Amino acid sequence: MEAVTAAAQARERLRASFASGRTRPAAWRAAQLRGLLRMAAEMEDEICAALRADLAKPRTESYVHEISLVTSSCKFALKNLEKWMKPKKVPAGLLTFPSTARVTAEPLGVVLVISAWNYPFLLAIDPVIGAIAAGNAVVLKPSEIAPATSSLLADLLPRYVDSSCIKVVEGGIAETTALLEQKWDKIFYTGNSKVGRIVMSFAAKHLTPVVLELGGKCPVVVDSDIDLHVTAKRIAAGKWGCNNGQACISPDYIITTKSFAPKLLDSLRKVLDKFYGKDLLRSADLSCIVNSNHFNRLKALMDEEMVSDKIVFGGQSDEQQLKIAPTLLLDVPLDSAIMKEEIFGPLLPIITVDKIHESFALINSMTKPLAAYLFSKDSKLKRQFERNVSAGGMIFNDTSIHLTNQHLPFGGVGESGMGAYHGTFSFEAFTHKKAVLERNFLGEAKARYPPYTPGKLKILKGVLKGNPLAMVQAAVGCTGRARV
């Protein structure tokens, strides 16, 4: 009951701030974005320390994958803010002549952002950037599974942004549920599809629109017509170099041909040895598993009877450190748990097919992924992959890096989510595009008004068909027996 009361009070305070018009001016929006930029720069050490405490995340990953992307988003929004806010003129149309028409971007109001634990700084702040740029008041609920980062955000944000319009609410399931019971103007959730369904069910009670950034089994198709060493490095970087596989766009499984699999395996082994050394569990460049629940979940996937003998590299684990080594598995059964659910960890199955085109049907037999990757020099194969595979995003000859491009939308499709953000798409995610048509008191067309007559109908039909004579007759008010 206390959590519900606190959630309601937080929402009402922000609603009052929004109603006052405080968040609407471009100057306020820009000031908050500059505050976030200062926070990212001035508190880099503290942010990296929190990420280290939560995930044992290497400083390089903390900066490159989280802090720098927040900085990039802020700068992009500041550069484009006035353009985004400016009403856009559109053609008025003949039926409303004389008139002018425009589309005005207005803020939705008070929005709720629920972020994830795997990139706890980036996935908290990036949606908030879009919400602020669009002129909204915001409640941010960081993930309690990354407590150090959650606590840091609760401490830092009031020091760098307007706390009367932007508020952090910490807590667990009770606090999140209390927030979801309130009426918001939009809910932005990043996480898994199970919780996504819960978020959507709460939102439906108030007809609240949602953005769901979920996950899925992201496939990597590897053709034989490639630079093998570069391919292995880029797969490894996207898998184990992104939070040790705990990323929604991390490669989830590889598909390649039976004849090429041994070469790919050998190259991946060499790359992993070079990246992380012989004793994988001692590498300082690998994040730990976030908690014991996820550690045990991953161990269960790896230890399943039909899977355990498919391990061809890695497989070591240390429960005390919450570490699992980069692990390669070859030809695990498609009905095993590891191939039915998103792995979200350092395990990487390799599935073999006779011909590379068979990968399309295999991918499409599963739920639509957040990202799909193809390594090939074959232009025809690339176009076929693009046409036939549905995914939130797609990269040829690399993994994961599409999210760094502020001009590209980032979001899922089907089970991997709905809605998109980043760059312009972040602004649009938190904006209502309002249609505005403006007329003066000239240009009355009598044919539009009752009493209706056959003559009026003929004129209206002619106008709708673009007949110039009918338009003239409508404009001068001719409604009688004129032929159209």
Side-chain angles (χ1 to χ4, degrees):
M1 194 64 177
E2 185 179 338
V4 173
T5 302
Q9 289 174 347
R11 185 203 61 179
E12 289 310 311
R13 284 195 292 269
L14 293 189
R15 198 165 291 287
S17 294
F18 178 77
S20 73
R22 186 176 180 84
T23 67
R24 289 179 177 265
W28 181 90
R29 306 182 198 194
Q32 310 317 305
L33 295 171
R34 285 193 292 269
L36 292 176
L37 267 179
R38 288 197 309 276
M39 181 180 77
E42 295 171 5
M43 306 305 292
E44 179 184 327
D45 288 344
E46 289 79 358
I47 295 165
C48 288
L51 295 171
R52 188 77 182 172
D54 285 330
L55 292 152
K57 188 170 288 196
R59 188 180 182 105
T60 297
E61 287 187 32
S62 295
Y63 183 80
V64 174
H65 298 166
E66 302 215 37
I67 296 170
S68 76
L69 293 180
V70 164
T71 299
S72 174
S73 291
C74 282
K75 289 180 177 179
F76 192 86
L78 282 165
K79 179 181 178 181
N80 292 283
L81 187 59
E82 288 190 11
K83 180 179 71 174
W84 292 344
M85 291 178 65
K86 186 178 180 180
K88 293 176 175 57
K89 291 183 178 180
V90 297
L94 291 172
L95 287 177
T96 59
F97 179 84
S99 65
T100 59
R102 62 185 178 274
V103 178
T104 300
E106 67 176 10
L108 292 170
V110 183
V111 301
L112 172 64
V113 173
I114 304 174
S115 64
W117 56 261
N118 56 326
Y119 287 82
F121 181 70
L122 172 67
L123 297 181
I125 300 300
D126 212 355
V128 169
I129 291 168
I132 289 170
N136 297 280
V138 190
V139 168
L140 168 63
K141 169 59 182 67
S143 174
E144 70 279 10
I145 299 176
T149 308
S150 176
S151 177
L152 183 68
L153 289 169
D155 175 54
L156 290 184
L157 277 178
R159 292 157 54 183
Y160 286 92
V161 296
D162 184 350
S163 60
S164 71
C165 303
I166 303 160
K167 182 173 177 58
V168 178
V169 174
E170 288 194 278
I173 293 174
E175 288 75 16
T176 304
T177 302
L179 288 169
L180 287 170
E181 287 174 348
Q182 309 303 312
K183 179 175 173 55
W184 306 95
D185 296 300
K186 192 150 198 178
I187 299 173
F188 190 108
Y189 167 75
T190 304
N192 62 61
S193 59
K194 180 181 178 181
V195 178
R197 286 176 168 83
I198 296 171
V199 170
M200 205 168 179
S201 68
F202 275 101
K205 295 176 183 178
H206 301 291
L207 292 180
T208 300
V210 298
V211 172
L212 301 179
E213 294 295 336
L214 308 177
K217 298 187 72 63
C218 299
V220 183
V221 177
V222 181
D223 192 11
S224 57
D225 180 21
I226 55 167
D227 184 317
L228 182 55
H229 183 58
V230 170
T231 295
K233 288 194 297 181
R234 291 177 181 178
I235 291 173
K239 179 67 172 180
W240 301 284
C242 286
N243 205 27
N244 204 7
Q246 298 170 108
C248 55
I249 53 172
S250 170
D252 197 89
Y253 63 101
I254 293 173
I255 307 175
T256 194
T257 60
K258 286 180 172 63
S259 60
F260 192 69
K263 295 179 182 178
L264 178 60
L265 262 173
D266 185 57
S267 188
L268 284 169
R269 286 191 188 104
K270 290 176 181 176
V271 165
L272 286 168
D273 185 60
K274 186 174 182 180
F275 282 9
Y276 304 113
K278 293 291 184 183
D279 191 345
L280 297 164
L281 294 179
R282 294 179 64 86
S283 174
D285 295 323
L286 280 170
S287 298
C288 69
I289 307 306
V290 68
N291 59 29
S292 58
N293 288 338
H294 281 278
F295 179 91
N296 292 330
R297 177 185 62 81
L298 289 164
K299 277 283 291 173
L301 292 179
M302 193 165 44
D303 294 343
E304 187 179 4
E305 186 176 352
M306 66 175 85
V307 169
S308 58
D309 63 345
K310 303 296 184 181
I311 295 173
V312 292
F313 180 87
Q316 305 92 332
S317 64
D318 183 333
E319 188 171 4
Q320 188 174 359
Q321 293 187 73
L322 293 178
K323 285 267 185 125
I324 296 177
T327 300
L328 297 169
L329 307 96
L330 182 61
D331 277 330
V332 300
L334 295 180
D335 60 349
S336 60
I338 201 170
M339 288 304 297
K340 285 185 174 180
E341 62 183 70
E342 184 181 11
I343 295 171
F344 222 72
L347 318 179
L348 186 57
I350 300 174
I351 307 300
T352 61
V353 291
D354 292 322
K355 296 181 179 179
I356 203 67
H357 288 84
E358 294 172 22
S359 61
F360 296 3
L362 179 54
I363 294 168
N364 290 333
S365 70
M366 303 184 187
T367 56
K368 295 179 180 181
L370 184 58
Y373 309 116
L374 170 66
F375 286 83
S376 178
K377 294 178 181 177
D378 186 337
S379 297
K380 185 178 179 182
L381 181 65
K382 291 177 188 176
R383 300 291 79 78
Q384 289 173 334
F385 191 76
E386 186 172 352
R387 283 196 305 268
N388 294 308
V389 173
S390 179
M394 188 170 284
I395 303 181
F396 297 110
N397 299 324
D398 212 325
T399 62
S400 304
I401 60 171
H402 59 304
L403 62 79
T404 65
N405 187 331
Q406 294 290 333
H407 298 279
L408 289 174
F410 183 81
V413 57
E415 285 278 322
S416 58
M418 61 180 69
Y421 71 126
H422 288 185
T424 305
F425 304 95
S426 287
F427 180 83
E428 292 180 349
F430 292 101
T431 299
H432 168 60
K433 296 297 183 68
K434 183 165 62 179
V436 180
L437 185 78
E438 185 172 351
R439 302 192 72 197
N440 55 30
F441 293 98
L442 302 176
E444 278 296 88
K446 293 181 180 179
R448 70 179 283 202
Y449 300 119
Y452 300 127
T453 66
K456 288 181 178 180
L457 180 58
K458 285 183 179 181
I459 291 173
L460 290 173
K461 282 184 176 181
V463 171
L464 291 168
K465 293 175 182 178
N467 187 305
L469 178 58
M471 294 175 194
V472 172
Q473 290 174 324
V476 299
C478 179
T479 61
R481 302 177 182 84
R483 295 184 178 179
V484 180

